[in-house]
Amino acid sequence: MEAMRIQETCYHIHSLCVQAKRILVVSHENCGDATGALLAFGGYLADLGVSYELWLPGPVGSTVQFLPGAVEVAHTTLPALEQFDMIVSLDAADEVQAGLENAEFKQWQTIGNPLVVIDHHYTNTGYGTVNWINPHAAATCAMLYDYFFSIKQPITRKMATCLLTGILTDTGSFSNAATNQEALSAASELLIRGAPLATIIRHTFKAAENLALLRLWGRVLSRIRYRSTYGMAIACITQHDLRMCGLTENDLDGMANVMNVIKDIRVGLLLTELSDGTIKGSLRTTRDDIDVAQFAAQFGGGGHQRAAGFKLPGRFAHTKQGLQII
Ligand SMILES: [Mn+2]
C-alpha cells in the first residue's frame, strides 16, 4: 500500500514537471545531500527538456564542488520568481532553510502554482502544495533514487554521482543510524550506473588531510568544554579561528561530526560564528534516547533525531569566563 502511494506521488510530481514551463529548483546550503539532490534533479529536468534554474541560498560547499554541474548553481539573491510556474524544494525542512522566505515568494504562492517539497527531515513543516516527506529515508538523494526508479527515468553517470554523494554524506559513509537497507541497495545500483565511489569519498571524507582544516580542528578540540549536567560537549569556531587557518565558512561541511567521535557524551554541540552576525549551532548525538531536533526546535531550528541545527543572532567575545556569546 505504502509503495503504491509513493508510486502515485512520484507520477504526480513527474507530470507536474513535464507540464511546467520553467522550474526553479532550490535546496539548502552547504550539505552534500542538498547539493547532490539539486544537481541530480537538474540532470533529470535537462533530460526532460524542461527549462529550469538551480539555486542555493549560499555557495556550493568546497567538499562537493567536484560534482558535475556544481558551477551552474546560482547562489546570489533569489532569482525573480515571476519567471517560474513551479518550484521544487529539496532536502529543506522549511521555507527559511530553502531561502524562500521573502515577500515575493509569499506573492508567488498566492498564484496557486505547484510548490513540490521532497525531503526526509521529520521536522519538515509540509510547506509545499505537494509534500513528499519520508523521515525514514537516509537522504533526500535516496528518495530521488526511488523517484527516478518509479518514473523509469534513466539515471546517468553524472546523476548517479550526485545521488551517491548525498547518500554517503548523510549516512557518514554508511556509519550512522540513518543507514538502512534501502540506502545500501540504492548505493549499489548507483555504482552499477558508474558513480565513482573512491572519488566521492576522497572529496567528501578525506578533508582532514587538508592541513588548514587539521589546524582548525586543533584549535576547536583544544577548547571543548563538557557540561556534566547535560552530558553535553560544547565546542566553538570563531571568525578569528577561520582567518588564522585561512579557511571560510564554506570549508566547514561535516565539521560537526567531529563531536560524534567523543565517547560517553549524550550530545555534542558545535557553535560556529558566521560572518553575517549569527551563530550557527550544530547538534549531534549517537544515542537512540535523545532527540537533538527537539533541542534545536527550542531555538527555532530543526533537523533529524541524531543531527540537527539552529541559528541565532550573536557573536563570540572573550570574557573572564572564556569565550561567550554576546
Ligand atoms: Mn539530507
Side-chain angles (χ1 to χ4, degrees):
M1 190 60 203
E2 181 66 4
M4 277 283 286
R5 205 178 57 79
I6 291 174
Q7 182 82 10
E8 266 172 40
T9 307
C10 291
Y11 275 123
H12 180 48
I13 295 171
H14 179 56
S15 72
L16 289 172
C17 290
V18 172
Q19 289 161 36
K21 289 195 182 67
R22 184 160 167 80
I23 302 177
L24 177 67
V25 190
V26 299
S27 189
H28 70 92
E29 62 181 304
N30 225 349
C31 152
D33 188 29
T35 311
L38 188 81
L39 292 169
F41 209 85
Y44 150 68
L45 292 178
D47 196 46
L48 285 186
V50 177
S51 164
Y52 68 95
E53 182 165 347
L54 307 180
W55 184 80
L56 284 178
V60 172
S62 58
T63 57
V64 286
Q65 275 168 9
F66 76 98
L67 287 176
V71 286
E72 284 173 36
V73 179
H75 65 80
T76 45
T77 47
L78 188 66
L81 294 182
E82 71 219 7
Q83 50 176 321
F84 303 102
D85 59 349
M86 177 168 168
I87 297 177
V88 177
S89 176
L90 302 167
D91 200 44
D94 55 37
E95 295 98 322
V96 179
Q97 227 191 3
L100 289 172
E101 75 279 26
N102 69 6
E104 200 199 340
F105 173 65
K106 296 264 171 340
Q107 172 65 29
W108 186 90
Q109 278 182 305
T110 61
I111 303 166
N113 284 327
L115 168 62
V116 173
V117 173
I118 303 175
D119 184 29
H120 69 129
H121 294 84
Y122 86 86
T123 53
N124 193 295
T125 56
Y127 54 100
T129 57
V130 179
N131 296 289
W132 179 25
I133 318 295
N134 179 6
H136 304 294
T140 298
C141 280
M143 294 175 70
L144 286 188
Y145 173 79
D146 288 342
Y147 176 70
F148 297 143
F149 185 83
S150 294
I151 63 167
K152 299 184 177 62
Q153 164 68 37
I155 298 176
T156 63
R157 182 174 191 269
K158 283 181 181 177
M159 287 160 75
T161 304
C162 298
L163 293 179
L164 185 58
T165 299
I167 293 172
L168 277 166
T169 50
D170 265 19
T171 60
S173 297
F174 304 122
S175 65
N176 67 25
T179 311
N180 56 24
Q181 182 258 317
E182 288 80 8
L184 285 162
S185 153
S188 158
E189 291 295 326
L190 294 167
L191 287 177
I192 293 169
R193 285 163 180 79
L197 180 63
T199 306
I200 298 170
I201 295 279
R202 180 161 50 83
H203 282 280
T204 53
F205 292 100
K206 297 286 173 69
E209 288 170 10
N210 175 323
L211 205 56
L213 265 179
L214 273 181
R215 289 201 178 103
L216 180 68
W217 284 28
R219 296 174 80 93
V220 172
L221 296 176
S222 71
R223 280 202 300 257
I224 279 191
R225 285 195 241 163
Y226 181 66
R227 292 276 174 272
S228 54
T229 333
Y230 308 106
M232 181 186 272
I234 306 170
C236 51
I237 300 174
T238 66
Q239 284 289 309
H240 179 70
D241 290 330
L242 293 175
R243 276 195 300 276
M244 292 303 284
C245 300
L247 293 167
T248 72
E249 288 155 22
N250 297 318
D251 299 317
L252 301 180
D253 192 17
M255 194 77 192
N257 295 323
V258 173
M259 306 304 280
N260 263 345
V261 304
I262 312 164
K263 236 181 157 187
D264 302 329
I265 60 165
R266 290 161 62 83
V267 178
L269 169 62
L270 177 65
L271 296 165
T272 308
E273 184 182 41
L274 303 180
S275 54
D276 64 359
T278 59
I279 303 265
K280 184 173 95 171
S282 305
L283 291 149
R284 296 290 184 275
T285 185
T286 53
R287 293 175 50 142
D288 291 325
D289 59 337
I290 292 169
D291 184 352
V292 290
Q294 276 186 15
F295 184 101
Q298 291 177 23
F299 297 98
H304 307 284
Q305 182 239 318
R306 286 166 182 255
F310 59 86
K311 249 187 199 183
L312 293 172
R315 62 184 177 84
F316 285 116
H318 287 279
T319 68
K320 284 189 199 116
Q321 287 80 35
L323 274 178
Q324 300 272 331
I325 298 176
I326 56 167

